[in-house]
Amino acid sequence: MTSPLLCIDNLTTRFFTKNTPITAVDRVSLSLFEQETLAIVGESGSGKSVTALSIMGLIPETQGAVTNGSIYFKGNDLTKLNKREMTKIRGNEISMIFQEPMTSLNPVLTAGFQLMEVIQKHRDMDKQQALKEAVYMLSLVGIPEPESRVNAYPHQLSGGMRQRVMIAMALSCHPDIMIADEPTTALDVTIQAQILHLINRLKREIGMSVILITHDLGVVAQTAQTVLVMYAGKIVEKASVSQLFTHPLHPYTQGLFDSLPKIGSGTKRLIPIPGIVPSLDNLPKGCAFQERCPKVKEICKNQMPPWKEVLTDHFSRCWLYESE
């Protein structure tokens, strides 16, 4: 088996508060292989985006830090690099599409200027070469009339076009890894399908790997090969897409599927997961999902369940499978 392009081991990220540090990512481990799409799913507050920001080295120093673990990329531990070394990798070899393109793009600068800025910083081009490349990148992501759109401001572009500009910026340096954080949030179904098709096509053409962060299992089914399910900062299940969709093991994963509408179900009511994700500064002892779990056992309230391979290459963190 080939070595992973990215290997994260026991990553822990904490944010500092007046009282005690809050653990937003708790001993997360994952591997990403070449030309693989790895999806990370879970509700808001589960730690998905913080995991991505930890990889990119974008946790604000005054607010938090990676306090444990390693992030190996091409043999280098990213957590040990200084700012200058990390800047060379960020945007160049590992890029990221952030949530909410309207707030991620600077409203007082044209889309072309912002794209050219990335290209000039990482690809040693002059202004004229960068402009030509920016127009090409906009055409590559399917923006019509890129020669004129390159001079448009973000407010002059639709939500779908702004998202395409963000994808163009992420791809402008031909990265080895692209992290897509909720790339289709707030987009209508038609534009969502176009964006997903675009990411899949460019992944094949450029040969990159993708980490897809989402709460939409439909998006996962269309794009990913491997899925990690996160809850309250921990990974609670890992499987291939086919395994996860046919045999979800963790009660939380099962709850996510139960809350989805199903073809042919008629007017049957959906089954929501009761309650909300617990506050990270007040997690219960034992399993964090215990208060919402329909299969909770007494041991769940006192001890953290172990990480176990229940089926072949299908892992879960749940006491239901400890005796099997």
Side-chain angles (χ1 to χ4, degrees), residues 4-56:
L5 180 62
L6 180 76
C7 184
I8 298 177
D9 183 41
N10 280 321
L11 177 69
T12 299
T13 302
R14 291 191 172 97
F15 288 98
F16 311 126
T17 65
K18 292 181 180 179
N19 299 320
T20 58
I22 293 175
T23 303
V25 175
D26 191 359
R27 289 167 287 180
V28 162
S29 297
L30 63 87
S31 295
L32 176 70
F33 293 87
E34 291 187 5
Q35 299 188 43
E36 177 188 24
T37 296
L38 171 71
I40 305 178
V41 303
E43 294 169 282
S44 297
S46 61
K48 309 184 300 297
S49 295
V50 178
T51 300
L53 293 174
S54 299
I55 295 171
M56 296 293 291

Side-chain angles (χ1 to χ4, degrees), residues 22 68 104 108 120 131 133 137 163 182 225 273 279 281 291 298 300 306:
I22 293 175
N68 189 56
S104 298
V108 300
Q120 286 183 284
L131 175 60
E133 183 67 11
M137 291 304 302
Q163 193 66 288
E182 302 281 7
Q225 288 81 56
I273 301 175
S279 175
D281 61 357
E291 295 176 359
E298 193 60 34
C300 304

Side-chain angles (χ1 to χ4, degrees), residues 255-273:
L256 292 177
F257 280 105
D258 287 341
S259 63
L260 295 176
K262 297 176 178 60
I263 296 177
S265 62
T267 57
K268 185 177 179 181
R269 291 177 64 88
L270 301 180
I271 306 173
I273 301 175

Side-chain angles (χ1 to χ4, degrees), residues 61-272:
E61 292 182 357
T62 57
Q63 300 176 26
V66 172
T67 59
N68 189 56
S70 57
I71 306 172
Y72 277 95
F73 171 67
K74 293 184 177 180
N76 295 315
D77 186 353
L78 301 184
T79 65
K80 307 297 185 191
L81 301 184
N82 59 40
K83 289 183 179 180
R84 179 176 294 182
E85 292 169 329
M86 194 64 208
T87 298
K88 291 180 180 179
I89 292 175
R90 187 192 303 124
N92 190 26
E93 297 180 76
I94 304 177
S95 62
M96 184 169 176
I97 305 171
F98 295 92
Q99 293 187 49
E100 302 296 339
M102 192 63 220
T103 56
S104 298
L105 292 170
N106 192 322
V108 300
L109 299 175
T110 65
F113 180 90
Q114 295 179 68
L115 186 50
M116 288 168 60
E117 191 175 32
V118 174
I119 294 169
Q120 286 183 284
K121 183 176 181 64
H122 292 288
R123 295 182 60 181
D124 193 27
M125 292 185 178
D126 60 30
K127 188 175 181 180
Q128 199 62 33
Q129 292 172 318
L131 175 60
K132 184 177 180 180
E133 183 67 11
V135 171
Y136 168 72
M137 291 304 302
L138 292 179
S139 67
L140 185 67
V141 297
I143 291 183
E145 302 178 359
E147 294 83 1
S148 60
R149 297 291 184 184
V150 76
N151 296 314
Y153 289 89
H155 73 273
Q156 296 174 311
L157 302 172
S158 67
M161 283 191 180
R162 290 195 296 266
Q163 193 66 288
R164 288 170 189 266
V165 171
M166 292 297 298
I167 293 174
M169 292 176 68
L171 295 175
S172 60
C173 297
H174 300 169
D176 297 299
I177 298 173
M178 182 176 72
I179 302 173
D181 190 359
E182 302 281 7
T184 58
T185 296
L187 300 180
D188 62 56
V189 176
T190 303
I191 301 300
Q192 173 178 304
Q194 292 175 0
I195 294 297
L196 294 177
H197 176 74
L198 174 63
I199 291 175
N200 282 331
R201 176 173 65 82
L202 295 176
K203 174 192 165 187
R204 292 192 301 269
E205 292 178 1
I206 297 177
M208 65 183 179
S209 302
V210 177
I211 297 177
L212 177 66
I213 296 171
T214 183
H215 61 268
D216 189 333
L217 290 169
V219 170
V220 172
Q222 296 178 59
T223 56
Q225 288 81 56
T226 306
V227 190
L228 301 177
V229 181
M230 286 192 73
Y231 186 80
K234 287 183 177 292
I235 295 176
V236 297
E237 187 162 356
K238 175 205 168 188
S240 66
V241 168
S242 59
Q243 277 277 64
L244 191 83
F245 275 69
T246 55
H247 299 290
L249 296 177
H250 198 280
Y252 175 60
T253 311
Q254 294 168 1
L256 292 177
F257 280 105
D258 287 341
S259 63
L260 295 176
K262 297 176 178 60
I263 296 177
S265 62
T267 57
K268 185 177 179 181
R269 291 177 64 88
L270 301 180
I271 306 173

